[in-house]
Amino acid sequence: MRSRGNSVDLEDENHAATSKSGDTYLPTPASPEHGDMHRAIGLSVGSEGIMNDDKALMPEPGTETDFNVEDNKFAFSPGQMSKLLNPKCLSAFYALGGLVCLEKGLRTNRQSGLSSDETVLDGYVSFEDAKATSADVNASKALFVQVTMAETTPPSSRKRSDGLFADRKRVFKDNHLPTKKAKNIFQFMWMTFNDQVLILLMAVSVISLGIGLYQTFGTVHTPTNPPVEWVEGVAIITAVVIIVIVGSINDYEKERQFSKLNEKKLDRNVKVIRAGKSQEISISDVLVGDVVHIEPGDVIPADGIFIDGHNVRCDESSVTGESGLLLKHPADEVFQAIEEHKDLSKMDPFIISGTKVAEGVGTFLVTATGPNSTHGKTLEALQEDLEITPLQLRLNTLAEYIAKFGGAIALLLFVVLLVEFFVRLPHSTKTPAQKCQDFLNILILALTVLVIAVPEGLPLAVTLSLAFATTRMFKDNNLVRRLKACEAMGNAMNICSDKTGTLTQNKMTVVTGTIGVSSRFVDKKWYPPTFPKSNNSTTTSEQTVSDSDADNVSTGEFVGCLTNDVKTLLKQSIVINSTAFEDDKGGQQTFIGSKTETALLAFAQDYLGIGPVSVERSNAKIVQLIPFDSARRCMVTVVNENGKYRLYVKGAPEILLGRCTRIIREPTMEISDTEITTSDTEYLNQVITNYASRSLRTIGLLYRDFEQWPPTGVRTNEDSEAVLEDILKDLVFLGIIGIQDPIREGVREAVEACQKAGVVVRMVTGDNVSTAKAIAEACGILSADGGVMEGSEFRKLSTSQMDQIIPHLQVLARSTPTDKRLLVARLKDLGEIVAVTGDGTNDALALKTADVGFSMGLVGTEVAKEASDIILMDDNFSSIVKAIMWGRAVNDAVRKFLQFQVTVSITTVVLTFVSAVASKEQLALTPVQMMWVNLIQDTMAALALATDPPAPSILDRKPDPKSAPLITITMQKMIIGQAVYQLAITLILYFGGAKILSYQSTHEKEQLQTIVFNTFVWMQIFNLYNNRRLDNRLNIFEGISRNWFFLAISLVMIGCQVIIVFVGGRAFSITRLNRAQWCYSIVLGALSIPIGVVIRLMPNKLLFANSCQDFMKRHATNQFTASDEEQQYFPQPLEEIRQQPAFLEKVHGGRLNSDLEPRERLENHPEPKSNDPVITEDLQEMLGEHKKEKTDYGAD
């Protein structure tokens, strides 16, 4: 029989024993030494192990301080209370003595709650006192009252200075959740300034400013050499200040936007019982020992134990990731079941903070608040320092290389000029002061070369690019909370996505249905993209049902064909036979109740034209209502309709179908029924199986008419109500409704775009394997040869086994938050750049661990948003594709500018070096001219290249690994080619221009100096267009019309250069040029573009790759990797043999079939391929088991 997870019953049998906060931990008596493992994997065993678990209240490593509280006047410590929900643990619940002992130990009362005027408590209650067994329940209550009275002094005699509940707050804390202290603008500035490149720039600026001040005030100036040497140092400092201000203001503003996004009524009120009276208090005033009322729609304010109530079901999907509702059982009932050795698989008395009440009303006893609660601990776990991003790492490495390169060139120039100085010194007729000045000039020139070598515009380009990208990303519904996350996303190699609320809507929706046997409908909005034809083999009958999908009509068309009588029957079956109700939140009407019933009501509202649910029900005369029960797996409502009675039944169709003797004949005609045949039953069973194979939750709708109520011959109970077993027969089958949490629009296309861009998308969910597989296949995540594994299996793998599994793993089902974090951490250890998406509290740890964390802005919890780097404002997974594009655009902008900047730096440094060594009276470029080229133009180039929007083709390439160099081979080719061309033209003009152009007069020679400068600048302007591409494609003007910034800045650069040449005069050592000389300069500059074409046509391999590959082959060594703990005991080969007996089958003649490291496998083959290293047979069998399984919801 199929799992009842497909039917109306929301309490999945598989919930019996899983991990943190999702289900209940039941230890095994057979192997107490493995208690920790059983806690992790949720092993389901009997109550004997619960009663004999010696480790139930033992502190976890690092939590010992929570168990030892100074001057504790309560029987229990915060640490012991936390053991109840770390994870849900019935052993700890039993060890603490159940609810009665919790009352005593926490000095409270389940009926009257805390005393309203409690301050400092007198006396102490020990653990033994709390667990003391009384003769009967009444005696225990009397003892508690006596203890309470003895330990509570009158208000007049207390120390009021300690305030209300002083001891209780001191020991257990109040309910203020831990929050990260907001950083002010100056802290953001300091964080931005702590960058190696900026620190290097500041050092250079100090040197430059010192030299400039000396030259300005300590040397003699001429009309052609104005005292402006200090300007460059000040300009570099100004650039650093701009970088810090722009970066910090961006981060500060993003943080403020995040705060506004999260702005809620945090100080909401909750209803508690104090001094025997119900009252509302602020959520932050809730204390351990409080008795809290809960009702549908409430968000649980603190952890606790369920006291009593009616049909309380909680939605814990934000914590566990599972969409089913969990039924809560009274604590006394659970404790009694433990002592009587009853089945505990469904017993759950635990209330988790941050979850929602979906059904029922009741009360619970608070056991943990604030930082000690589940919600608070998750928030505290997010208080971690940010890691360095890949681009930061590369820029820091580049800064070191630049410092070494600039220092080496400066030292070489200093040595050459110093040797020349000493050679000429004996023959010099200058005065000692002049000789000293010559020496200082040599030192200044060497330091100037060092300053020129540092690309001061690079950090500005990074900051401007990030600022521009984040602003544009906000328009694309991506709120970037941390500026550096933008560029990290550009190189993401893996996306580990949550299912519920991320890939799906976290909103159950009716997607298909069958009325009778002749009419079927499909919601075209969800059904086609969600359920592509599966490659899995199906039976002939299933194939028949599947093939008939093409004949299904849309929901709207189907409802339009129904007669009014049938439409009313369907509407009443949904609206009247339901316990869900309406609520108006923020002006928007929503339904509150089980997700199945709210989905049916939404369907009725959208297609059947129902009015307000309360009005519909008030018009119906309900004579008997039998609520849903997990044993019966159905709900029944009886309505008096004009003197006759109609029984509406809703429940699991696979069970209720056997109670049917008739079936509705033709829904498009008046209501009539006929006898159900064997072929009808077989067909309907095929429909049920087919729906289940597509991960649909199936709901059966049935009815029966009676002349009187209770019917004649039917047994009745003490309330004169008919016994269900006697009336649940001879039913008329109405139809089957298929419900599912639908895939978000655009998800499949977004996944395909990610895969096209070389990003591996993995799904990590708490759902069972069959559901996870169905959704993964619908999203396009799970390929034919992809692997599926459960979290309990994954976490038991060794590090080396994980390394073999991960390249093939595409779906991790039944996973805990720890499993998700483990997967992310392992991927990062393998050198991967990992992004994680999630919306729930359970995703927070993985979001924080990842390189980039995405949370949902609309349905995401506060914890998830706080942990994330980027918030998807529209909750659309497809927005991630835009984030990837903008992230790559940022990386490309940095590389484009770097390519341009390094070219300028090389040519400027070499020109300065050569012209200085040549001992001419004047350098090729004067200091002021170099200031314009090296600073102003670089800044403008940063602005121009940082604002290029991403082109669609940016997704056609694979992401760069962390180890990828910042300057690629194609970039090196362009840098060297352009530098050679610029140097050749400039040096030819500098040394041979007068001869080539036949310049003889002083004025013409002065014009030649200006031609050198003008030509050099025009080569940079045209080379700026060359640098719009980083690949070998020839169209450098692609998308230029969409970037008005680039065009505007280009015009500004051209205008400034024209102005300088015309009016620069003595300050720039400029002489006006004639038309011919302008033509020389512009034509020689424009030749940079065809030179760029020639460079791009040169194959990379011909120039660089062969020599690099030969070098790598000569120096390559095959080696294995191991975790630190493994290396403490065994060398890696021996460790492999020890951990994997099947490893011996892979060894032949002492040689391994494959010696690739896991990291190499991931980089070279992001998706499983036939030539991947063969994983061991036992691991292959783990993945193979799930591949062979038929996709049947609840099969596991």
Side-chain angles (χ1 to χ4, degrees):
M1 183 176 290
R2 293 184 311 109
S3 167
R4 58 191 181 83
N6 299 302
S7 65
V8 71
D9 187 4
L10 298 178
E11 190 183 33
D12 196 338
E13 290 170 344
N14 292 314
H15 288 173
T18 52
S19 64
K20 178 180 178 181
S21 305
D23 303 298
T24 307
Y25 155 60
L26 307 173
T28 174
S31 53
E33 69 274 14
H34 296 124
D36 292 338
M37 181 181 71
H38 298 313
R39 283 183 176 85
I41 66 175
L43 187 61
S44 178
V45 294
S47 60
E48 191 67 33
I50 293 176
M51 302 173 71
N52 299 320
D53 189 358
D54 296 332
K55 296 184 178 181
L57 297 180
M58 292 289 290
E60 302 289 341
T63 64
E64 291 81 2
T65 55
D66 293 337
F67 287 76
N68 300 312
V69 180
E70 184 180 354
D71 192 28
N72 188 0
K73 297 182 178 182
F74 301 91
F76 310 120
S77 64
Q80 290 171 323
M81 292 293 95
S82 68
K83 294 294 288 185
L84 290 168
L85 285 164
N86 188 28
K88 293 179 181 177
C89 183
L90 287 178
S91 295
F93 173 69
Y94 184 81
L96 291 169
L99 184 59
V100 173
C101 294
L102 284 171
E103 283 183 88
K104 297 177 186 177
L106 297 177
R107 304 175 75 160
T108 185
N109 184 279
R110 72 177 77 183
Q111 281 84 29
S112 59
L114 298 177
S115 173
S116 296
D117 57 354
E118 175 189 313
T119 55
V120 178
L121 295 171
D122 295 331
Y124 297 84
V125 179
S126 67
F127 188 88
E128 292 73 18
D129 292 337
K131 292 201 65 177
T133 306
S134 302
D136 52 50
V137 175
N138 292 329
S140 68
K141 291 182 180 179
L143 174 63
F144 171 76
V145 173
Q146 182 180 358
V147 171
T148 304
M149 296 297 291
E151 295 169 351
T152 307
T153 59
S156 58
S157 63
R158 291 198 190 116
K159 298 179 180 178
R160 305 301 299 183
S161 59
D162 289 312
L164 289 173
F165 306 104
D167 282 327
R168 199 172 295 274
K169 292 180 179 178
R170 175 179 59 82
V171 175
F172 295 107
K173 305 290 189 300
D174 58 20
N175 203 33
H176 283 93
L177 294 173
T179 56
K180 188 185 296 183
K181 185 179 179 181
K183 296 182 177 66
N184 57 44
I185 187 66
F186 299 105
Q187 288 174 310
F188 278 109
M189 286 182 176
W190 178 249
M191 290 170 59
T192 306
F193 181 74
N194 284 328
D195 182 277
Q196 288 189 22
V197 179
L198 287 183
I199 293 172
L200 175 62
L201 275 182
M202 281 303 297
V204 169
S205 66
V206 171
I207 295 173
S208 178
L209 184 60
I211 295 173
L213 290 174
Y214 169 77
Q215 290 180 310
T216 301
F217 300 105
T219 59
V220 178
H221 293 84
T222 63
T224 59
N225 184 23
V228 293
E229 294 84 357
W230 58 273
V231 171
E232 184 164 357
V234 172
I236 297 176
I237 293 175
T238 303
V240 173
V241 171
I242 292 173
I243 293 165
V244 171
I245 291 176
V246 170
S248 57
I249 288 179
N250 263 280
D251 283 336
Y252 182 68
E253 285 299 318
K254 300 307 174 188
E255 200 65 27
R256 286 185 60 194
Q257 287 177 353
F258 170 69
S259 299
K260 290 179 182 178
L261 178 72
N262 250 3
E263 216 170 80
K264 292 181 179 179
K265 196 174 181 180
L266 297 177
D267 195 21
R268 60 186 174 89
N269 291 334
V270 296
K271 189 180 293 185
V272 301
I273 300 175
R274 286 188 178 175
K277 297 180 180 179
S278 293
Q279 55 182 282
E280 287 192 349
I281 63 173
S282 170
I283 187 175
S284 58
D285 292 333
V286 174
L287 300 171
V288 170
D290 262 322
V291 177
V292 180
H293 283 288
I294 50 176
E295 57 187 29
D298 284 352
V299 178
I300 304 296
D303 291 343
I305 297 296
F306 185 56
I307 297 175
D308 201 3
H310 174 68
N311 195 37
V312 173
R313 295 175 186 264
C314 291
D315 178 5
E316 298 179 356
S317 61
S318 66
V319 175
T320 66
E322 297 193 42
S323 55
L325 303 183
L326 298 182
L327 177 66
K328 300 302 174 180
H329 298 78
D332 289 338
E333 182 182 319
V334 175
F335 191 82
Q336 184 178 355
I338 295 173
E339 292 191 320
E340 295 177 359
H341 303 282
K342 293 182 178 179
D343 181 19
L344 303 172
S345 59
K346 301 175 186 176
M347 291 292 189
D348 185 1
F350 303 106
I351 304 294
I352 307 174
S353 56
T355 60
K356 293 181 180 179
V357 181
E359 299 179 29
V361 293
T363 57
F364 74 93
L365 176 68
V366 176
T367 58
T369 57
N372 297 320
S373 66
T374 302
H375 195 58
K377 286 181 177 179
T378 306
L379 282 173
E380 276 192 324
L382 306 179
Q383 313 282 336
E384 298 176 2
D385 294 330
L386 298 177
E387 296 182 4
I388 190 169
T389 65
L391 183 58
Q392 283 178 298
L393 185 64
R394 294 171 188 162
L395 288 176
N396 290 341
T397 303
L398 180 66
E400 294 178 7
Y401 283 129
I402 288 174
K404 293 176 182 177
F405 170 76
I409 294 295
L411 180 62
L412 178 62
L413 179 60
F414 179 74
V415 170
V416 171
L417 295 180
L418 188 63
V419 169
E420 183 182 17
F421 173 76
F422 282 122
V423 169
R424 294 181 178 180
L425 191 61
H427 309 287
S428 176
T429 58
K430 295 182 179 179
T431 64
Q434 291 174 328
K435 294 177 181 178
C436 183
Q437 183 62 48
D438 289 343
F439 176 79
L440 288 176
N441 289 338
I442 294 173
L443 179 62
I444 290 170
L445 187 59
L447 292 176
T448 301
V449 169
L450 176 61
V451 172
I452 292 171
V454 177
E456 62 270 14
L458 182 58
L460 183 61
V462 176
T463 303
L464 291 175
S465 180
L466 287 172
F468 178 76
T470 52
T471 302
R472 295 293 295 271
M473 285 175 69
F474 186 73
K475 295 180 181 179
D476 288 337
N477 297 309
N478 285 277
L479 172 59
V480 181
R481 293 189 58 227
R482 299 181 179 94
L483 208 57
K484 300 297 184 181
C486 181
E487 55 89 4
M489 192 59 205
N491 288 324
M493 305 172 184
N494 289 266
I495 298 177
C496 296
S497 177
D498 181 39
K499 177 186 76 69
T500 307
T502 307
L503 298 171
T504 64
Q505 295 185 4
N506 196 19
K507 179 183 178 182
M508 298 301 286
T509 303
V510 174
V511 295
T512 187
T514 299
I515 305 299
V517 293
S518 59
S519 300
R520 303 181 67 190
F521 68 89
V522 169
D523 190 335
K524 301 293 186 180
K525 185 178 180 181
W526 304 118
Y527 199 75
T530 305
F531 305 114
K533 287 189 176 181
S534 175
N535 294 327
N536 296 338
S537 62
T538 58
T539 64
T540 304
S541 60
E542 290 171 355
Q543 192 64 46
T544 301
V545 175
S546 179
D547 291 342
S548 67
D549 288 348
D551 300 327
N552 294 330
V553 297
S554 67
T555 308
E557 293 172 338
F558 170 79
V559 173
C561 295
L562 297 178
T563 63
N564 291 332
D565 290 344
V566 175
K567 193 181 298 184
T568 301
L569 175 61
L570 185 59
K571 180 171 67 174
Q572 296 289 87
S573 296
I574 293 173
V575 179
I576 304 303
N577 192 23
S578 173
T579 58
F581 59 92
E582 288 173 313
D583 189 25
D584 189 8
K585 290 187 176 180
Q588 184 177 5
Q589 189 183 63
T590 59
F591 294 111
I592 300 221
S594 75
K595 293 185 177 181
T596 300
E597 292 192 333
T598 57
L600 290 172
L601 287 176
F603 168 78
Q605 185 181 59
D606 293 340
Y607 297 103
L608 300 179
I610 65 170
V613 174
S614 57
V615 175
E616 295 279 352
R617 289 176 183 165
S618 64
N619 293 332
K621 299 177 181 178
I622 299 175
V623 296
Q624 185 173 346
L625 188 149
I626 303 175
F628 180 82
D629 182 82
S630 59
R632 296 187 298 263
R633 297 174 64 187
C634 67
M635 177 181 177
V636 175
T637 302
V638 182
V639 180
N640 184 340
E641 296 182 351
N642 301 321
K644 294 186 178 181
Y645 298 87
R646 176 162 285 174
L647 171 76
Y648 293 105
V649 183
K650 174 179 66 182
E654 68 273 19
I655 292 178
L656 296 176
L657 186 59
R659 297 179 179 270
C660 295
T661 57
R662 305 188 69 79
I663 187 170
I664 190 169
R665 188 190 300 271
E666 178 54 57
T668 58
M669 301 174 65
E670 293 184 358
I671 295 178
S672 62
D673 54 75
T674 183
E675 185 177 349
I676 192 168
T677 64
T678 303
S679 61
D680 292 337
T681 303
E682 289 178 354
Y683 176 81
L684 292 173
N685 279 320
Q686 292 168 18
V687 173
I688 294 170
T689 303
N690 181 261
Y691 285 178
S693 69
R694 303 181 183 196
S695 187
L696 292 179
R697 178 174 293 164
T698 53
I699 311 297
L701 300 177
L702 308 92
Y703 73 99
R704 181 184 176 187
D705 292 327
F706 293 90
E707 293 295 328
Q708 65 180 39
W709 196 263
T712 304
V714 173
R715 293 174 295 168
T716 59
N717 56 24
E718 60 273 12
D719 297 325
S720 299
E721 293 182 337
V723 175
L724 180 64
E725 287 73 15
D726 291 356
I727 60 175
L728 208 62
K729 59 185 179 181
D730 296 330
L731 302 175
V732 180
F733 185 86
L734 176 60
I736 304 172
I737 304 296
I739 298 177
Q740 193 200 37
D741 184 5
I743 304 296
R744 289 185 179 277
E745 288 187 86
V747 164
R748 187 174 182 87
E749 293 77 8
V751 170
E752 290 174 352
C754 290
Q755 293 169 343
K756 177 185 175 184
V759 181
V760 180
V761 182
R762 293 180 170 89
M763 188 173 80
V764 186
T765 177
D767 270 333
N768 58 46
V769 170
S770 57
T771 303
K773 284 179 63 179
I775 299 299
E777 288 174 354
C779 295
I781 293 174
L782 184 60
S783 60
D785 55 353
V788 182
M789 181 175 281
E790 289 191 351
S792 58
E793 297 171 344
F794 180 76
R795 76 174 73 99
K796 286 189 265 185
L797 298 176
S798 66
T799 300
S800 56
Q801 288 175 324
M802 285 184 186
D803 293 345
Q804 295 182 59
I805 283 286
I806 285 175
H808 304 264
L809 184 65
Q810 293 177 345
V811 178
L812 188 63
R814 282 294 186 199
S815 63
T816 67
T818 304
D819 298 331
K820 192 171 186 178
R821 187 178 190 179
L822 180 63
L823 173 62
V824 173
R826 193 64 211 139
L827 283 166
K828 290 182 67 178
D829 289 342
L830 291 169
E832 300 287 286
I833 300 173
V834 187
V836 168
T837 69
D839 68 322
T841 302
N842 61 317
D843 299 313
L845 296 179
L847 286 169
K848 196 69 177 180
T849 304
D851 294 291
V852 184
F854 286 89
S855 65
M856 303 295 146
L858 298 179
V859 300
T861 62
E862 292 178 29
V863 175
K865 293 175 187 175
E866 180 63 38
S868 64
D869 303 295
I870 300 175
I871 298 174
L872 302 177
M873 305 293 291
D874 58 352
D875 287 6
N876 197 335
F877 185 86
S878 60
S879 296
I880 295 176
V881 178
K882 297 176 183 176
I884 293 174
M885 293 176 68
W886 277 108
R888 293 189 176 186
V890 169
N891 285 283
D892 285 356
V894 173
R895 280 181 162 154
K896 289 173 185 177
F897 177 77
L898 187 62
Q899 183 174 279
F900 176 82
Q901 173 67 59
V902 172
T903 304
V904 176
S905 296
I906 289 175
T907 52
T908 308
V909 168
V910 173
L911 280 176
T912 305
F913 185 95
V914 172
S915 57
V917 173
S919 300
K920 295 197 68 172
E921 294 181 358
Q922 189 175 18
L923 298 175
L925 298 175
T926 67
V928 177
Q929 291 171 353
M930 282 192 290
M931 181 181 68
W932 159 245
V933 172
N934 191 50
L935 178 63
I936 307 300
Q937 188 159 313
D938 290 348
T939 304
M940 291 184 177
L943 286 167
L945 296 173
T947 52
D948 254 342
S953 60
I954 205 168
L955 294 175
D956 294 340
R957 67 173 193 257
K958 304 299 181 184
D960 295 327
K962 288 182 179 179
S963 58
L966 195 58
I967 300 178
T968 63
I969 291 178
T970 307
M971 291 172 64
Q972 294 175 32
K973 187 174 66 173
M974 183 59 66
I975 290 170
I976 294 173
Q978 288 291 339
V980 168
Y981 169 72
Q982 292 178 14
L983 284 172
I985 295 298
T986 308
L987 291 175
I988 288 173
L989 288 175
Y990 179 67
F991 287 106
K995 186 175 181 180
I996 295 172
L997 298 174
S998 302
Y999 286 171
Q1000 302 294 331
S1001 66
T1002 304
H1003 178 71
E1004 287 177 333
K1005 290 182 179 179
E1006 289 175 352
Q1007 285 182 318
L1008 178 60
Q1009 184 67 27
T1010 303
I1011 291 174
V1012 172
F1013 167 64
N1014 198 31
T1015 302
F1016 186 81
V1017 171
W1018 279 102
M1019 285 191 289
Q1020 310 313 320
I1021 292 173
F1022 284 103
N1023 192 37
L1024 188 65
Y1025 286 81
N1026 269 329
N1027 287 280
R1028 293 191 70 248
R1029 292 210 78 101
L1030 293 171
D1031 52 26
N1032 284 326
R1033 296 180 184 177
L1034 302 181
N1035 184 10
I1036 61 175
F1037 300 102
E1038 181 183 359
I1040 196 170
S1041 60
R1042 295 184 292 117
N1043 189 358
W1044 293 102
F1045 284 100
F1046 185 91
L1047 295 175
I1049 292 169
S1050 297
L1051 292 176
V1052 170
M1053 293 171 65
I1054 292 171
C1056 289
Q1057 180 61 21
V1058 171
I1059 291 172
I1060 288 172
V1061 173
F1062 274 97
V1063 299
R1066 295 182 176 179
F1068 281 86
S1069 304
I1070 293 295
T1071 303
R1072 285 198 178 188
L1073 304 179
N1074 56 36
R1075 292 181 181 180
Q1077 292 166 336
W1078 268 105
C1079 289
Y1080 300 154
S1081 302
I1082 295 176
V1083 170
L1084 290 174
L1087 285 176
S1088 295
I1089 292 179
I1091 292 295
V1093 172
V1094 174
I1095 294 171
R1096 286 189 169 93
L1097 292 175
M1098 295 180 182
N1100 293 357
K1101 292 182 179 180
L1102 180 64
L1103 298 179
F1104 297 98
N1106 290 337
S1107 59
C1108 292
Q1109 289 175 358
D1110 293 341
F1111 177 81
M1112 294 301 292
K1113 286 179 181 178
R1114 288 196 302 270
H1115 292 79
T1117 56
N1118 295 327
Q1119 50 184 309
F1120 295 94
T1121 59
S1123 61
D1124 295 337
E1125 62 271 17
E1126 288 174 341
Q1127 291 177 343
Q1128 293 176 3
Y1129 303 103
F1130 294 96
Q1132 178 64 19
L1134 295 180
E1135 180 64 19
E1136 293 281 355
I1137 296 173
R1138 183 181 72 87
Q1139 292 177 352
Q1140 305 168 10
F1143 178 85
L1144 293 174
E1145 300 176 10
K1146 305 297 178 184
V1147 181
H1148 301 283
R1151 300 183 64 180
L1152 301 181
N1153 289 340
S1154 175
D1155 54 13
L1156 288 177
E1157 295 183 31
R1159 177 173 175 176
E1160 292 177 288
R1161 294 199 300 271
L1162 283 166
E1163 290 179 357
N1164 296 329
H1165 305 289
E1167 297 181 4
K1169 295 183 180 179
S1170 59
N1171 59 344
D1172 275 339
V1174 180
I1175 63 174
T1176 56
E1177 292 182 359
D1178 53 344
L1179 299 181
Q1180 185 66 52
E1181 189 174 343
M1182 284 186 191
L1183 295 175
E1185 286 176 359
H1186 299 305
K1187 289 181 185 179
K1188 295 174 185 176
E1189 287 177 359
K1190 180 181 171 183
T1191 308
D1192 185 2
Y1193 182 89
D1196 59 326

